[in-house]
Amino acid sequence: MAVDYAVIVVYLAGMLAMGWWGMRRAKSKAEFLVAGRRLGPGMYSGTMAAIVLGGASTIGGVGLGYQYGLSGAWMVFTIGLGLLALSVFFSARIARLKVYTVSEMLDLRYGGRAGIISGVVMWAYTLMLAVTSTIAYATIFDVLFDVNRTVAIVLGGAIVVAYSTLGGMWSITLTDMVQFVVKTIGVLLLLLPIAVVKAGGFSEMKAQLPTEYFDPLGIGGETIFTYVLIYTFGMLIGQDIWQRVFTARSDTTARWGGTVAGTYCLVYAIAGAVIGTAAKVMYPNLASADAAFATIVKDELPMGVRGLVLAAALAAVMSTSSGALIACATVANNDIWSRLRGVVVRGGGGDEPHDEVRGNRMFILIMGVAVILIAIALNDVVEALTVAYNLLVGGLLVPIIGGLLWRRGTAAGALSAVCVGGVAVIGLMAYYGILANQPIYYGLLASLAVYVVVSLATPPTDAAVLAAWRERLAGRGGPDPDASAEPIASGAPGPSATSSPSGV
């Protein structure tokens, strides 16, 4: 394992070096939180694919393939569908808003009264998402170094917290690009063909396994529908995803770069299911389906290649973890703490951007420590992830999508939908069980019903608020929150840059 260890150590050292480099670039709030809003299509596509394809998509995707065959691709496939929908229908408008958080978007749309409650829900989601990614370190570091679970979580978590705290979104963007390349080489170009060959090829796989392993719908229609509700819709509204949209140089970059990333996710989904199916042929009696990835890597891959593929799995986990961590800290600082102390965090001049960088850096460190401690205390990754996505979709999907699509939606309707949807999901999870489908079904319906009824029963949103909202959606209205910090190198300045294909 000496060569494998060397590959992993070089990879981890590179992550820390990029964190240090990112610290030298992150001199303003915009640079620290959204990479100066100037990523071109290549870097945007790679980083977007990296954040949505985490440990659940890699280790969990292979595990679902081991358990269900090719239909095990559906979980990751619905993530790709959600990213495609976001990119095609919403990303251009989101990018033109020039905000930092989802709650700021809700404030703009509804007149400044929906932010803090939605911020609490979004914070809970991003916190749990970061926790589940951090827990996944234990599986990978156990295979690599044979260390106990707590040490593995602290080791992996400390590296992610370090480079995220140092350079913010610039560090995370650079590390995500490396992680995207490592995942592509390790999983798609190495592990996939090697696994199929070791299993005897597709003909042997079909001969050894039941026919339902090759049924595209074998996992079940209800399960697929639930994946769509949770993951496809979750991609449309998550702060971790929106914060990457905010990094795009233009609305064209956000649309086409995201479309490329979503297509990549569909390919990755199929690859994971095929690898898991091949593992079922080679190891038919594993105690846990989630052990399929580590087992096939440890037993079937040659020296050096094994280290690279394990680095790919580590990359998948770290990219999601770092993205969720900066999203969690951004929401905690900008949407909750700043509002509670009565400070409006938006724009500024003089030394304020430097002060805000230090403040956001401190929140990343605090949230990072909290994530590590919670990850040590929890054991069930699936339950934690389910709680996170149920809260997100049940509480925030309706007011966010409603605000983008339905003019008659009001602040009272949005607040009611957040509260009723969130409480309904929590109560139904307590009644039916965390992993049951009913909480998200009924919670989402309750949120939608309350949003429509309360919005129609209350006065329409003020015409001036809606006019300002439309101007921001068009990229023209209101002061640019990054005007004092935005470097000229980001491309053509001014509102027209939002529609310029400068990243092509």
Side-chain angles (χ1 to χ4, degrees):
M1 293 285 289
V3 175
D4 299 322
Y5 289 159
V7 171
I8 298 297
V9 170
V10 168
Y11 167 76
L12 294 177
M15 297 299 100
L16 292 174
M18 289 181 185
W20 182 261
W21 186 89
M23 181 177 67
R24 302 178 64 183
R25 296 205 58 171
K27 301 300 184 182
S28 70
K29 179 180 179 180
E31 295 284 352
F32 190 82
L33 293 182
V34 290
R37 304 188 196 273
R38 53 193 176 113
L39 298 189
M43 187 168 283
Y44 178 86
S45 297
T47 58
M48 184 62 87
I51 188 176
V52 300
L53 296 174
S57 299
T58 304
I59 299 171
V62 171
L64 287 172
Y66 182 89
Q67 188 173 0
Y68 298 104
L70 298 185
S71 67
W74 273 107
M75 183 187 77
V76 183
F77 205 83
T78 56
I79 290 174
L81 292 177
L83 187 52
L84 284 172
L86 173 70
S87 302
V88 172
F89 299 112
F90 300 110
S91 63
R93 283 183 284 178
I94 292 170
R96 287 195 292 264
L97 288 173
K98 292 294 182 70
V99 295
Y100 292 106
T101 68
V102 174
S103 294
E104 286 184 47
M105 167 263 168
L106 291 173
D107 278 351
L108 285 172
R109 169 60 182 82
Y110 295 110
R113 289 174 288 172
I116 192 165
I117 295 177
S118 63
V120 171
V121 175
M122 188 64 75
W123 173 78
Y125 157 73
T126 53
L127 179 70
M128 295 307 294
L129 184 61
V131 167
T132 58
S133 300
T134 304
I135 292 173
Y137 295 139
T139 301
I140 300 170
F141 278 99
D142 178 56
V143 174
L144 286 173
F145 305 118
D146 194 26
V147 296
N148 69 50
R149 180 179 181 276
T150 299
V151 173
I153 289 173
V154 171
L155 176 61
I159 293 171
V160 170
V161 172
Y163 74 70
S164 301
T165 302
L166 286 172
M169 187 59 82
W170 267 123
S171 295
I172 292 171
T173 296
L174 294 171
T175 55
D176 276 0
M177 278 305 298
V178 174
Q179 290 159 355
F180 171 74
V181 172
V182 170
K183 280 192 288 192
T184 301
I185 295 173
V187 175
L188 297 185
L189 302 184
L190 291 176
L191 184 57
L192 175 61
I194 289 173
V196 172
V197 170
K198 291 283 188 178
F202 284 103
S203 59
E204 183 65 19
M205 290 163 61
K206 288 184 177 181
Q208 293 288 334
L209 297 173
T211 57
E212 54 264 28
Y213 263 71
F214 302 92
D215 180 359
L217 303 178
I219 198 170
E222 183 178 355
T223 298
I224 295 171
F225 180 67
T226 303
Y227 284 159
V228 169
L229 284 183
I230 294 177
Y231 297 114
T232 300
F233 288 151
M235 288 297 105
L236 298 179
I237 59 173
Q239 169 68 25
D240 51 325
I241 310 301
W242 278 41
Q243 199 155 344
R244 295 310 174 94
V245 176
F246 300 151
T247 67
R249 178 185 300 173
S250 66
D251 54 5
T252 302
T253 296
R255 182 185 296 112
W256 293 109
T259 300
V260 171
T263 304
Y264 179 90
C265 292
L266 302 183
V267 175
Y268 200 89
I270 296 171
V274 171
I275 293 168
T277 304
K280 184 67 175 180
V281 173
M282 291 182 279
Y283 309 98
N285 299 311
L286 290 179
S288 169
D290 284 340
F293 180 89
T295 302
I296 195 172
V297 169
K298 192 173 184 179
D299 293 349
E300 302 297 336
L301 299 187
M303 178 179 60
V305 173
R306 178 173 50 211
L308 182 59
V309 173
L310 286 171
L314 195 58
V317 175
M318 294 180 93
S319 58
T320 299
S321 180
S322 58
L325 177 59
I326 193 172
C328 178
T330 302
V331 171
N333 188 18
N334 289 267
D335 292 337
I336 300 175
W337 173 245
S338 293
R339 294 168 191 265
L340 290 177
R341 63 180 185 166
V343 175
V344 177
V345 180
R346 196 174 293 147
D351 293 331
E352 187 178 355
H354 298 282
D355 295 334
E356 290 184 346
V357 168
R358 287 197 293 270
N360 282 291
R361 184 174 283 135
M362 182 60 65
F363 265 86
I364 291 179
L365 180 60
I366 293 170
M367 291 297 104
V369 172
V371 164
I372 291 172
L373 294 176
I374 295 171
I376 292 172
L378 292 181
N379 288 314
D380 197 314
V381 178
V382 176
E383 288 196 357
L385 192 63
T386 301
V387 170
Y389 272 97
N390 280 356
L391 277 174
L392 174 70
V393 175
L396 292 180
L397 177 68
V398 170
I400 292 173
I401 301 301
L404 289 169
L405 299 179
W406 191 38
R407 177 173 176 164
R408 188 60 180 81
T410 66
L415 285 170
S416 300
V418 172
C419 295
V420 171
V423 171
V425 164
I426 293 172
L428 291 167
M429 283 192 293
Y431 182 76
Y432 287 105
I434 291 176
L435 299 180
N437 293 328
Q438 289 90 340
I440 190 62
Y441 293 168
Y442 301 148
L444 195 55
L445 286 174
S447 179
L448 176 60
V450 168
Y451 179 72
V452 172
V453 171
V454 175
S455 292
L456 292 176
T458 52
T461 303
D462 185 83
V465 172
L466 286 178
W469 165 253
R470 288 194 295 270
E471 288 292 302
R472 286 293 285 268
L473 279 179
R476 298 188 300 269
D480 185 346
D482 310 323
S484 64
E486 203 64 44
I488 296 175
S490 62
S496 61
T498 60
S499 58
S500 169
S502 56
V504 177

